[in-house]
Amino acid sequence: MGAYVSNILFGILFFSLVGLFTRNIRRVIRNIKLGTAANRYDQPKKRWLHMARIALGQSKMVRKPLSGLLHVIVYVGFVVINIELLEIIVDGFLGTHRVFAPFLGGFYNVLIATFEVFAALVLVSVILFWTRRNVMRIKRFWRAEMKGWPKWDADIILYAEVVLMGLFLTMNASDYWLQINTQDPHYLTAGSFPVSQWILPLFDGLGVAQVVAVERISWWLHITGILLFLNYLYYSKHLHIILAFPNTWFAKLAPQGQFTNMPEVTDEVKLMLDPNADPYAAPASDVAPSTFGAADVADLNWVQLMNAYSCTECGRCTAECPASQTGKKLSPRKIMMDTRDRLSEVGAALNKGKQPNANTLLDNYISREELWACTSCNACVEACPIAIDPLSIISDMRRYLVMEQSAAPTGLNNMMSNVENNGAPWPFNRQDRIAWRDEINISK
Amino acid sequence: MAELAAQGKQPEVLFWVGCAGSFDDRAKKITKAFVKLLLKAEISFAVLGPEESCTGDPAKRAGNEFLFQMQAMTNIEVLNGYEIKKVVTACPHCFNTLKNEYPGLGGHYEVVHHTQFLKQLLDQGKLKVEGGQFKGKRITFHDPCYLGRANNEYQAPRDVLTKLEGELIEMKSCKAKGLCCGAGGAQMFKDAEAGNKEINIKRTEQALETKPDIIAAGCPFCNTMMTDGVKNKEKEGAIAVMDIAELVQQAEDL
């Protein structure tokens, strides 16, 4: 019975941590569904292509060549090395060692060698990423909204990857040492170790038992680390490694300049313009009175809420934003971070079976000053590597300010009353629209 | 348009002048330049005149969806009443709204921006630029957000400039990465929020880095913002801010 202790331990570890992650992902999905409806299931072919190009193909990441290349390495490395995870899990359950090796023969060596090369490349890239953040202190990583937890979060991810890659290579190196220095059939000759072979000298002078201990400890720490990292995603901007895919699939496909026409407004405007409409007719009773625009997360649609969970806070949006570049308070990245923070706050209350507190996204998180600084230029939308749309949130919140609160800045109120009265944003006489014709030297 | 309709005639294209093109003194020059080109190319066109009303763009960007849809539906009624099929406009904001946001409310037209239209006229030989008036002139083009990023049209204005034989020099942020002039999203009509610089100054600085003789624009609002920026830098004597239509008109010597 004692022989099965490690299998059982592994089973408990695996199922409890995967189970915890599943529960948390369900909470994310529940929170996203707090948003209003948005039909983003049209044009599926285009959507698959969009996802393939932007998420799978990283087409927008590489617009910045250096960080793009580093990111592609870490991304491909992550996907490739995770193939090894499959073997580790099977080994964990069955108590086997390198269970795939006998089936794959020479190809197994190719696989392990590839994993090792990627592990080394990932290590280098992650160290460069850390250097860009902490030594070169690239400006977009140091804006106000990055203080505190977001800064920690970014660094923790990088440290975790260094530790995991280090454990992976140590595990391989000690295994390789045991393959060479013992005749134990448990350590069958399998794999090719182009990177970790350079670690072997570290084991000089150690006994077999000690190297076995190193191998076991790094094996266990590696898989435990991966399962913990998986659970970390829920609390972190790193959730983007999963959500980037649905986020690009459900992205807006219409031209960026096209804002939605609110259907609930269309109904009312049609009624107003219809000379035959009965002004005293009772409104259709099954229509719940809705809020115009968004004051809180539940007023946003579910795609906008998914956007918030997908944001990895790279700040490319903010770096391109004309308002941010000229020192205004608005930062599109902060809009996304605030939306996620507020949604998490609401979600945390729901987890406890309570009603969310009286905070709202507007004012408690996002100030009016930020919203009014936007030029709707779409630079943030264009810059986002995974097709997040901060502008749509800004626009919906402006709609709330104007249509629910009549709280537009004075200049805009003047503009709007001019449009209403004169059909132009300035107080000119409509008849003068054609005045330029008299200033032109042509006969009509 | 009303006069044409009374005669039972239908124009090939409706020129949507826009509020800036109708009322703003600087933008009216763009309107006049474009009209002269249309006449030269013998295009049958009409304008709505007093029957035209704001597309509702600034109201929509400000968040007033009611006002936008009131404007849109009134305009659509007029346009559909005249059975308009094709619209050309010199304002990217009108262009975007008419092209993308009117169809959902019942207004379906082929909408083109005047830089696209001018490119076609030049390609078809209906307009010819000769004389090489802009030869050796350094021209930089400022992408309007609502033409470029919003609607993916970066090439047409550049093609026209290339035909003018000027030396087209790109700013460091151009095309999809073009920096806004600061007027969009209804900012034109309000004071800017507190910051350390005005957006139009920042954009003008980027333009000045190219050491241009001419800053070309394709939007009346960008034109205003860049003109103000150039004045702020006290370069208005050396650098002209001009619309693509005005440049073609000059080349045509109209």
Side-chain angles (χ1 to χ4, degrees):
Chain A
M1 228 14 232
Y4 292 108
V5 168
S6 77
N7 307 42
I8 293 164
L9 266 179
F10 183 84
I12 294 170
L13 179 80
F14 183 82
F15 284 116
S16 58
L17 288 179
V18 169
L20 186 62
F21 178 67
T22 312
R23 187 199 70 174
N24 285 339
I25 284 297
R26 281 179 184 201
R27 287 179 169 174
V28 168
I29 295 169
R30 177 203 64 196
N31 293 353
I32 288 174
K33 284 184 173 167
L34 294 176
T36 60
N39 181 16
R40 292 284 175 84
Y41 290 93
D42 59 316
Q43 311 177 69
K45 223 174 166 178
K46 232 175 154 180
R47 295 189 175 281
W48 285 112
L49 271 173
H50 198 252
M51 184 177 89
R53 222 176 39 240
I54 297 180
L56 203 64
Q58 308 261 303
S59 62
K60 284 193 152 188
M61 267 318 289
V62 295
R63 284 194 188 168
K64 283 186 183 287
L66 179 63
S67 57
L69 175 73
L70 296 177
H71 187 269
V72 168
I73 291 173
V74 175
Y75 158 69
V76 176
F78 169 80
V79 173
V80 168
I81 297 170
N82 270 341
I83 302 173
E84 168 71 357
L85 202 59
L86 212 66
E87 183 180 50
I88 293 176
I89 292 167
V90 176
D91 279 345
F93 277 117
L94 303 181
T96 47
H97 185 70
R98 296 199 180 272
V99 67
F100 292 164
F103 302 104
L104 297 173
F107 184 60
Y108 187 81
N109 295 356
V110 177
L111 273 181
I112 297 293
T114 312
F115 300 155
E116 288 224 332
V117 170
F118 269 109
L121 286 172
V122 167
L123 263 179
V124 173
S125 304
V126 165
I127 291 166
L128 288 175
F129 273 147
W130 185 88
T131 311
R132 284 163 58 81
R133 270 181 196 273
N134 295 294
V135 181
M136 292 162 65
R137 296 172 76 101
I138 288 175
K139 205 172 146 199
R140 65 188 153 103
F141 300 132
W142 290 88
R143 275 189 62 106
E145 68 265 24
M146 296 307 286
K147 288 210 177 84
W149 167 246
K151 166 83 176 67
W152 272 107
D153 187 16
D155 286 336
I156 288 170
I157 293 162
L158 297 177
Y159 298 140
E161 294 191 24
V162 169
V163 169
L164 289 176
M165 291 302 109
L167 288 169
F168 177 70
L169 291 172
T170 313
M171 172 184 101
N172 274 355
S174 49
D175 187 51
Y176 188 37
W177 190 93
L178 292 166
Q179 288 181 25
I180 297 169
N181 295 310
T182 68
Q183 270 69 51
D184 188 341
H186 186 72
Y187 297 106
L188 71 169
T189 308
S192 160
F193 306 94
V195 177
S196 63
Q197 59 177 312
W198 302 102
I199 307 176
L200 286 193
L202 289 180
F203 303 138
D204 284 349
L206 293 185
V208 172
Q210 285 164 310
V211 179
V212 167
V214 171
E215 197 277 333
R216 281 294 85 193
I217 289 170
S218 41
W219 188 92
W220 278 97
L221 285 181
H222 177 249
I223 185 64
T224 311
I226 282 178
L227 291 171
L228 287 175
F229 196 52
L230 180 74
N231 276 282
Y232 181 67
L233 298 186
Y234 173 67
Y235 305 95
S236 163
K237 75 193 191 84
H238 213 49
L239 195 54
H240 82 285
I241 65 172
I242 298 170
L243 287 183
F245 293 88
N247 200 71
T248 43
W249 203 90
F250 290 110
K252 166 177 162 184
L253 298 180
Q256 282 177 8
Q258 181 178 333
F259 284 27
T260 51
N261 291 330
M262 297 169 70
E264 60 270 42
V265 170
T266 311
D267 294 342
E268 296 212 17
V269 171
K270 275 195 175 140
L271 203 67
M272 280 193 273
L273 294 176
D274 180 4
N276 301 318
D278 174 6
Y280 302 108
S285 56
D286 55 334
V287 185
S290 60
T291 314
F292 293 116
D296 205 356
V297 284
D299 304 324
L300 294 168
N301 70 45
W302 66 271
V303 177
Q304 292 169 318
L305 299 184
M306 182 172 64
N307 276 184
Y309 273 122
S310 310
C311 174
T312 197
E313 301 164 16
C314 72
R316 290 189 184 193
C317 52
T318 295
E320 295 294 327
C321 172
S324 311
Q325 283 185 36
T326 52
K328 277 118 189 143
K329 270 201 185 132
L330 173 63
S331 160
R333 169 174 56 191
K334 179 175 173 292
I335 300 286
M336 303 318 299
M337 293 167 71
D338 285 342
T339 305
R340 178 173 178 169
D341 287 349
R342 170 61 186 154
L343 187 53
S344 301
E345 184 179 55
V346 171
L350 295 179
N351 295 343
K352 291 182 197 143
K354 287 193 208 152
Q355 281 300 308
N357 62 22
N359 283 353
T360 56
L361 183 58
L362 177 69
D363 295 336
N364 294 108
Y365 288 83
I366 299 173
S367 69
R368 292 160 194 238
E369 184 178 343
E370 291 165 66
L371 296 172
W372 290 119
C374 173
T375 70
S376 76
C377 76
N378 266 304
C380 55
V381 180
E382 182 74 35
C384 181
I386 55 167
I388 290 171
D389 186 354
L391 174 53
S392 72
I393 296 180
I394 296 172
S395 167
D396 283 348
M397 295 184 76
R398 280 186 175 186
R399 284 171 169 174
Y400 179 85
L401 288 178
V402 172
M403 291 192 281
E404 294 283 348
Q405 296 200 329
S406 304
T410 319
L412 293 187
N413 280 331
N414 293 339
M415 177 272 288
M416 290 187 285
S417 75
N418 285 326
V419 169
E420 218 168 330
N421 297 321
N422 317 313
W426 300 288
F428 291 115
N429 189 332
R430 192 177 270 232
Q431 294 306 317
D432 292 338
R433 273 194 176 265
I434 195 82
W436 52 267
R437 191 168 60 180
D438 305 326
E439 303 162 17
I440 209 167
N441 285 332
I442 41 151
S443 53
K444 241 264 321 142
Chain B
M1 182 65 224
E3 296 156 26
L4 266 190
Q7 295 163 21
K9 288 184 192 160
Q10 188 67 13
E12 186 186 313
V13 61
L14 180 91
F15 172 32
W16 185 275
V17 183
C19 300
S22 302
F23 295 121
D24 181 84
D25 283 336
R26 178 67 190 85
K28 268 156 76 179
K29 291 185 186 162
I30 303 169
T31 304
K32 288 182 269 186
F34 185 57
V35 163
K36 284 180 184 171
L37 292 169
L38 290 175
L39 292 168
K40 172 86 189 288
E42 295 179 343
I43 302 297
S44 112
F45 73 98
V47 297
L48 287 175
E51 286 186 282
E52 187 185 290
S53 189
C54 172
T55 58
D57 164 82
K60 189 174 183 88
R61 307 310 139 189
N64 195 336
E65 183 71 8
F66 271 102
L67 183 52
F68 161 71
Q69 291 202 14
M70 294 282 281
Q71 289 297 117
M73 286 194 205
T74 317
N75 282 323
I76 288 168
E77 211 162 295
V78 173
L79 290 166
N80 289 354
Y82 287 126
E83 294 176 18
I84 299 298
K85 301 279 179 300
K86 184 171 180 178
V87 181
V88 63
T89 176
C91 172
H93 297 268
C94 298
F95 167 72
N96 176 68
T97 307
L98 291 165
K99 175 175 165 286
N100 296 322
E101 289 160 358
Y102 276 30
L105 300 170
H108 302 273
Y109 322 103
E110 181 195 349
V111 185
V112 291
H113 187 244
H114 75 315
T115 56
Q116 299 171 320
F117 199 76
L118 288 172
K119 174 181 150 52
Q120 275 174 19
L121 294 182
L122 288 164
D123 286 346
Q124 295 163 352
K126 289 184 180 169
L127 285 177
K128 289 192 186 71
V129 280
E130 284 158 2
Q133 204 189 340
F134 294 102
K135 230 170 215 167
K137 286 257 160 86
R138 295 169 67 89
I139 306 179
T140 190
F141 179 66
H142 164 74
D143 287 279
C145 304
Y146 275 84
L147 183 64
R149 268 189 300 272
N151 288 292
N152 259 312
E153 179 59 88
Y154 304 106
Q155 207 45 50
R158 287 181 170 77
D159 286 348
V160 175
L161 288 174
T162 312
K163 285 203 164 72
L164 294 177
E165 301 181 66
E167 193 186 339
L168 180 61
I169 299 155
E170 297 291 358
M171 289 181 241
K172 72 174 178 198
S173 20
C174 65
K175 299 182 184 170
K177 283 174 73 75
L179 182 70
C180 175
C181 70
Q187 296 291 343
M188 185 76 190
F189 308 101
K190 61 181 268 299
D191 296 325
E193 277 61 33
N196 52 34
K197 192 177 261 184
E198 295 294 336
I199 295 171
N200 68 320
I201 303 296
K202 170 120 188 155
R203 185 52 168 169
T204 305
E205 285 166 359
Q206 291 184 353
L208 294 185
E209 280 171 21
T210 67
K211 303 203 180 343
D213 297 306
I214 297 165
I215 298 172
C219 167
F221 298 104
C222 298
N223 196 311
T224 304
M225 297 308 265
M226 298 304 281
T227 305
D228 287 351
V230 170
K231 275 185 195 152
N232 179 279
K233 297 284 171 189
E234 297 180 348
K235 296 270 188 200
E236 67 266 36
I239 299 168
V241 179
M242 293 181 77
D243 190 87
I244 300 272
E246 294 176 301
L247 294 172
V248 178
Q249 181 221 349
Q250 251 190 37
E252 285 273 345
D253 204 18
L254 289 171

